[in-house]
Amino acid sequence: MAITAKEVNELRKMTGAGMMDCKKALTEAEGDFDKAIDILRKKGQKVSASRADRETTEGSVFVKTNNDNTEGILIALNCETDFVGKNEEFLALGNAIIAAAFENSVSSKDDLLKLKLGEHSVEEKITEMVGKIGEKIEISEFVNLKGEAVVPYIHAGNKLGVLVALKNVNGTDVTDAGKDVGMQIAAMNPVAVDQDGVDQSIIEKEIEIGKEQAIAEGKPEAIVDKIAQGKLQKFFKDNTLLNQAFVKDSSITVSKYLDSVNNGLTVTEFVRVTIG
């Protein structure tokens, strides 16, 4: 049967797919719009499968917090090119996904992919987008963080996002302090909040490196362990958040900065997600 330009344009408006794709789908579906939409979605699934081995090193980070700033959600939606990462439809999809995640109290990426966005799941919506633009798209990160206060920080370009959970807020507005700490985390990439949060395997590795350096420098065997412990403490100072020099004032640590904002204010947890 003949497919009119009006029908093709109508399907294009409904789906956002290309004109030729819409015409082919309507022709195959013999003018049935519902079948044509299914065909376009299946095309997206095929595109997605064929691009499964492609790298998704571009995209955007999205964050959202609740009204009292006690819970935050962060997702990273990845794609293949910066051009698509700045596409309005791509950004709209990311914002719709994170809004739905928040509204439905989603706690895992698997649950998020199954979540409904209108008539279709998030996973199906992503597949549809793949079919429209021809690039692999995926949610690489999903984080749900709770605390007395949760403050988001997004670095320029939306390629890096941070969520910081604070305690001992005592009714104080700690938004600015949280953003300062978020900027610290973005810039300095600490491995943990403090030395108690550092994985034992990392500690053992740093001690071993310290010992090897001391021996290579010809230090007496009797003090090799002591030197290694000293180097470990230096590692903690440089690589754990609360012990790092504060980026806005290197004369104090992050811990002392937070204490100056509000007595006892500190960080309980943070997440740092970057694209690329």
Side-chain angles (χ1 to χ4, degrees):
M1 63 177 292
I3 302 299
T4 67
K6 181 180 178 181
E7 289 173 322
V8 173
N9 192 48
E10 185 178 346
L11 182 60
R12 182 177 180 277
K13 288 180 179 178
M14 291 171 62
T15 64
M19 293 291 284
M20 289 305 299
D21 287 333
C22 289
K23 184 175 181 180
K24 289 177 182 178
L26 278 168
T27 300
E28 185 177 340
E30 298 181 339
D32 187 310
F33 274 74
D34 288 337
K35 287 182 180 179
I37 290 171
D38 285 341
I39 289 168
L40 287 170
R41 289 182 58 228
K42 289 175 182 177
K43 176 181 180 291
Q45 290 167 359
K46 290 178 181 178
V47 171
S48 182
S50 69
R51 303 186 76 86
D53 60 344
R54 299 295 292 266
E55 292 187 357
T56 54
T57 56
E58 298 292 342
S60 288
V61 173
F62 301 83
V63 295
K64 187 174 178 63
T65 57
N66 59 358
N67 291 334
D68 59 2
N69 296 317
T70 57
E71 180 180 3
I73 288 179
L74 180 153
I75 66 168
L77 187 63
N78 291 50
C79 57
E80 295 178 38
T81 65
D82 186 53
F83 178 78
V84 168
K86 294 176 180 177
N87 178 278
E88 287 186 9
E89 282 190 87
F90 178 87
L91 295 174
L93 177 61
N95 284 316
I97 290 172
I98 198 165
F102 219 96
E103 290 168 7
N104 292 273
S105 300
V106 174
S107 58
S108 72
K109 187 167 82 170
D110 286 343
D111 288 341
L112 177 61
L113 290 172
K114 296 173 185 174
L115 192 65
K116 288 289 185 180
L117 276 181
E119 295 182 359
H120 305 297
S121 69
V122 167
E123 188 170 24
E124 289 170 335
K125 283 289 187 182
I126 291 173
T127 297
E128 285 182 4
M129 182 69 73
V130 170
K132 290 179 188 178
I133 65 175
E135 279 196 15
K136 180 180 178 181
I137 297 172
E138 62 181 352
I139 296 174
S140 62
E141 296 282 352
F142 170 85
V143 179
N144 186 319
L145 190 64
K146 297 179 181 179
E148 282 184 36
V150 176
V151 181
Y153 174 79
I154 295 290
H155 200 59
N158 296 327
K159 294 289 195 300
L160 192 160
V162 175
L163 285 176
V164 184
L166 301 155
K167 75 171 182 178
N168 299 329
V169 175
N170 298 324
T172 305
D173 183 355
V174 295
T175 302
D176 288 343
K179 289 188 181 301
D180 282 342
V181 174
M183 181 176 64
Q184 174 91 23
I185 294 165
M188 303 304 293
N189 195 18
V191 299
V193 172
D194 57 27
Q195 63 190 60
D196 292 337
V198 180
D199 189 271
Q200 187 60 35
S201 63
I202 294 176
I203 293 174
E204 291 171 359
K205 179 181 177 182
E206 291 302 316
I207 290 174
E208 187 63 29
I209 290 172
K211 287 181 179 179
E212 290 179 2
Q213 288 176 342
I215 292 170
E217 292 167 3
K219 302 298 183 183
E221 187 175 344
I223 63 169
V224 164
D225 287 342
K226 184 177 180 180
I227 291 173
Q229 285 297 324
K231 289 182 180 292
L232 178 63
Q233 294 307 311
K234 177 68 164 55
F235 173 84
F236 289 148
K237 182 175 182 296
D238 292 341
N239 295 281
T240 59
L241 176 63
L242 295 178
N243 296 304
Q244 286 180 337
F246 182 40
V247 290
K248 284 190 170 183
D249 180 358
S250 60
S251 69
I252 59 174
T253 63
V254 172
S255 178
K256 288 184 177 179
Y257 162 68
L258 288 171
D259 199 56
S260 73
V261 173
N262 193 30
N263 187 34
L265 181 65
T266 191
V267 175
T268 57
E269 191 177 356
F270 70 83
V271 290
R272 180 183 186 274
V273 172
T274 184
I275 290 176

